[in-house]
Amino acid sequence: MITAATVRYFAATLENSPRHKLASQGPGMLSPVELLSVVLSKDGEDGSATLHLARELLQSAYSIRGLSNLSPAKLRELGLSETDVYRFKAAFELGRRADRAGLGDRQACNKPEDVVQLFGFLADEKREHFCCVLLDTKNQVMNWLTVHIGTVSSSVVGVREFFRPALQQGATSVIAVHNHPSGNPEPSPEDIEVTRALAEAGRILEVPLLDHVIIGSEQNYVSLHRLGYIG
């Protein structure tokens, strides 16, 4: 028989559940474990069932930043289903992109240091990310996108793919930026070859390449414009 005490117990449990707390108090009032449990909970669940799993994940990663770097294989090893892994990685990627987007004001890129300030996060990437930054007439960032992930060479970083977004979105000029996971930002012969090809294409298309910034570790960087590879 269901007693009044049982009803009160389940009512109190529901009120303290992560999803109910999120709805009634807002996400800012949830702990990292509670937020993670909501991300991992399925339709119809209140998040309580995944609290234990969320605690284990956070303990394994040692920090929220560590959580975002857990590999899919490690997540599956810790008990996440394939669907949970996809949901987990997608949620963190959205967070990264929101953080990179800033508050909505366009950031000017007038010097390499401005580029490094915006793209310093690339220093944490384990693979090379080659990005195209689209600028307006005031050298303010209109948009940016990753055009290639992996080793940089002229055969994989195509001029057409690099400049297509700039032409489609009406950019006045562009900046190339990529990272060296080794931490050493010194340009390779392939980096120089790609830079020269993009600079020449930019002159022809009348969308000049203003710089190519290579980011290493601990704010180390190199500007190929300053090195004289972009006229």
Side-chain angles (χ1 to χ4, degrees):
M1 183 178 70
I2 299 177
T3 65
T6 302
V7 172
R8 286 195 296 271
Y9 170 78
F10 282 108
T13 300
L14 177 61
E15 288 180 0
N16 292 323
S17 70
R19 184 168 289 186
H20 184 274
K21 190 174 177 181
L22 175 66
S24 61
Q25 301 179 40
M29 298 303 295
L30 273 67
S31 69
V33 168
E34 290 172 326
L35 286 170
L36 186 55
S37 71
V38 172
V39 170
L40 296 174
S41 63
K42 298 176 176 58
D43 290 343
E45 295 181 346
D46 59 16
S48 300
T50 51
L51 277 172
H52 179 69
L53 176 58
R55 289 192 188 95
E56 284 192 348
L57 284 170
L58 198 54
Q59 289 170 0
S60 297
Y62 302 107
S63 67
I64 296 175
R65 185 180 181 86
L67 271 177
S68 68
N69 293 325
L70 289 177
S71 68
K74 182 63 176 179
L75 291 170
R76 285 189 286 269
E77 179 185 322
L78 290 169
L80 270 67
S81 68
E82 202 69 20
T83 300
D84 288 338
V85 169
Y86 296 147
R87 184 185 293 116
F88 181 92
K89 301 303 282 188
F92 270 101
E93 182 59 26
L94 279 172
R96 285 194 187 98
R97 295 187 186 187
D99 182 59
R100 295 170 191 173
L103 299 177
D105 294 332
R106 286 189 175 183
Q107 175 72 45
C109 281
N110 295 311
K111 54 187 183 296
E113 290 76 16
D114 296 333
V115 178
V116 175
Q117 182 179 1
L118 284 174
F119 290 89
F121 63 86
L122 288 178
D124 296 327
E125 296 291 348
K126 305 304 181 186
R127 300 175 65 191
E128 291 191 27
H129 285 60
F130 199 97
C131 304
C132 175
V133 187
L134 312 183
L135 304 177
D136 62 16
T137 56
K138 297 181 180 179
N139 287 350
Q140 294 177 328
V141 178
M142 299 169 53
N143 196 5
W144 70 271
L145 65 158
T146 302
V147 296
H148 176 71
I149 298 177
T151 304
V152 170
S153 72
S154 58
S155 62
V156 295
V157 180
V159 169
R160 181 179 302 175
E161 289 73 19
F162 184 85
F163 280 98
R164 181 182 290 119
L167 297 174
Q168 290 175 338
Q169 299 182 39
T172 303
S173 57
V174 293
I175 291 175
V177 55
H178 85 279
N179 63 304
H180 279 180
S182 66
N184 181 0
E186 290 302 313
S188 66
E190 291 78 14
D191 293 334
I192 295 170
E193 181 183 1
V194 167
T195 301
R196 286 173 168 160
L198 294 178
E200 177 61 23
R203 282 190 286 270
I204 295 172
L205 296 170
E206 297 184 346
V207 183
L209 177 74
L210 301 186
D211 205 344
H212 179 183
V213 178
I214 302 175
I215 296 176
S217 61
E218 299 179 356
Q219 297 299 305
N220 290 325
Y221 66 91
V222 164
S223 161
L224 275 84
H225 174 74
R226 286 182 177 171
L227 292 179
Y229 292 109
I230 301 174

